[in-house]
Each structure stands twice: as C-alpha cells, then as structure tokens.
Amino acid sequence: EKEPLPEVDDKEPLPEVDEKEPLPEVDEKEPLPEAPLPDKEVPVEPTEAPEPGAPVVPQLSCELACNPGDGAAEIVVLPGATGTEAAVPGLTLEECRELCAGESTCEGIEYTEAAGEVPSACKGQRDIHTSKCTPTTDRKTEIFGTPWGKCITFGDPHVFGFDRPHGPKMNLFDTGEYYLVNSSELVVQGRFGY
C-alpha cells in the first residue's frame, strides 16, 4: 500500500537525506550514455485508481489554476456539474476528491473554497500540464494520477518544483543531500556543495 506524500511547506527548505542512505557511487572513468532530450513532455503510465471506500490521496496538491483554454488541462464533466466551467457547487474537498475518483477519466480536481454567499466549486480535470498552469491563491489543484510537468534546478542551486512552475523558487544554499522528487513513482536526489 502506498503511503501519502507529505504536505509541502513553502517556507521550509527541503529535508536533508539520511546519511545512512548515501547516493550510489559513480565510476567517473566510464562515460554516461548519451540520451536525447525529449522535445516535448513525456507522459508516465497512469497510477491505479484507489480501492472503493479508500481515502483519495492526491499525488500533487498545489495552488495552481489549470485552465482548459490555456492548454493546461481538459475538462471532465462530473455528475452534478453546471455552467460553462462544468463546476459542481457546494461540495467539501473530500467529496470533490471522491466524485473525481468515481469517474474513470478524471485525473485531478480544481477546488475553490466557499466564500460568503458563493458556494464551493469542484471541477474535474484530466491531461493536466502543471507547467501551463498559473499561480493562484483562491483555488487548489490536486492531481491523483501522474501529471505532465517540468521542474528546473540551476545555479547554487535554485529549484522550481512541479508544484511551483512559476515560482517562487526554492533556494538551497546549505551543503547536503536533498530529495528533488520523492514519490512512489520516482525518487531523485541532489547533492549540493561538495
């Protein structure tokens, strides 16, 4: 059984990797094989749907607006959806997650909390490209399958994560080993300052 990913605190640096589990040794005499970089994002096989009745846990949760008009996602019409944006009003976040999990084509949700007289809004999505989404503070995007995305590490280093393609960047100035990606599908570690 997969354990859920921890919530990311934007103010905290990435945790250091346990020194008991060092990165594998690399033979510097043997050249690395040449691998062509893809000219577009490459999808990963989708993850399995959760068992009925099991809690629905997102692979990625972030404050991004993934608008279909920008090519960031496609709409999945969920039961009870209304209007041109196909939103289901009045659900809790958990109800929204469960509604998406019940639709075979739904890979994620965009959820807006209720505000005053305006009820909450739940939108189903698929084919979500986080690099085409825009930052927002009034909505939450959760992805249950494998998203399309890009992340960048450069400089001392600076990191733009899958969940923050437009920033703010994370600055890692301390010497150490860090998880750049740590999920059930992929683990990438970085060693900085050595």
Side-chain angles (χ1 to χ4, degrees):
E1 182 175 291
K2 296 178 185 177
E3 61 182 59
L5 296 174
E7 290 289 322
V8 175
D9 183 354
D10 292 346
K11 296 176 180 80
E12 293 292 320
L14 293 173
E16 289 191 33
V17 175
D18 185 355
E19 291 184 24
K20 295 176 188 172
E21 297 180 28
L23 294 173
E25 293 295 320
V26 176
D27 182 0
E28 293 180 16
K29 295 177 185 171
E30 187 174 319
L32 294 173
E34 289 292 324
L37 293 174
D39 56 12
K40 62 180 182 177
E41 298 166 307
V42 179
V44 179
E45 289 298 316
T47 55
E48 294 181 18
E51 294 291 324
V56 181
V57 180
Q59 291 285 328
L60 180 68
S61 181
C62 49
E63 290 183 337
L64 293 174
C66 301
N67 300 311
D70 298 333
E74 292 181 23
I75 294 172
V76 173
V77 179
L78 299 173
T82 61
T84 57
E85 293 192 7
V88 181
L91 299 179
T92 65
L93 179 58
E94 187 56 41
E95 290 169 333
C96 183
R97 289 174 180 158
E98 290 173 6
L99 197 59
C100 177
E103 292 294 315
S104 63
T105 60
C106 190
E107 298 172 352
I109 59 169
E110 183 178 283
Y111 184 78
T112 307
E113 294 276 346
E117 299 290 318
V118 180
S120 65
C122 170
K123 300 177 192 176
Q125 297 181 328
R126 68 184 181 127
D127 199 23
I128 303 165
H129 297 253
T130 59
S131 60
K132 295 179 181 178
C133 301
T134 54
T136 183
T137 57
D138 66 339
R139 292 179 247 177
K140 175 185 277 196
T141 292
E142 294 190 347
I143 303 171
F144 306 108
T146 304
W148 299 69
K150 298 176 183 175
C151 65
I152 302 168
T153 302
F154 64 97
D156 341 68
H158 307 289
V159 179
F160 285 92
F162 292 110
D163 59 338
R164 296 187 267 185
H166 304 286
K169 66 182 179 279
M170 295 175 279
N171 298 309
L172 305 174
F173 299 123
D174 293 332
T175 298
E177 295 176 352
Y178 298 88
Y179 284 106
L180 298 176
V181 178
N182 188 6
S183 76
S184 59
E185 302 287 323
L186 176 67
V187 175
V188 178
Q189 294 176 308
R191 180 179 289 174
F192 305 109
Y194 289 99

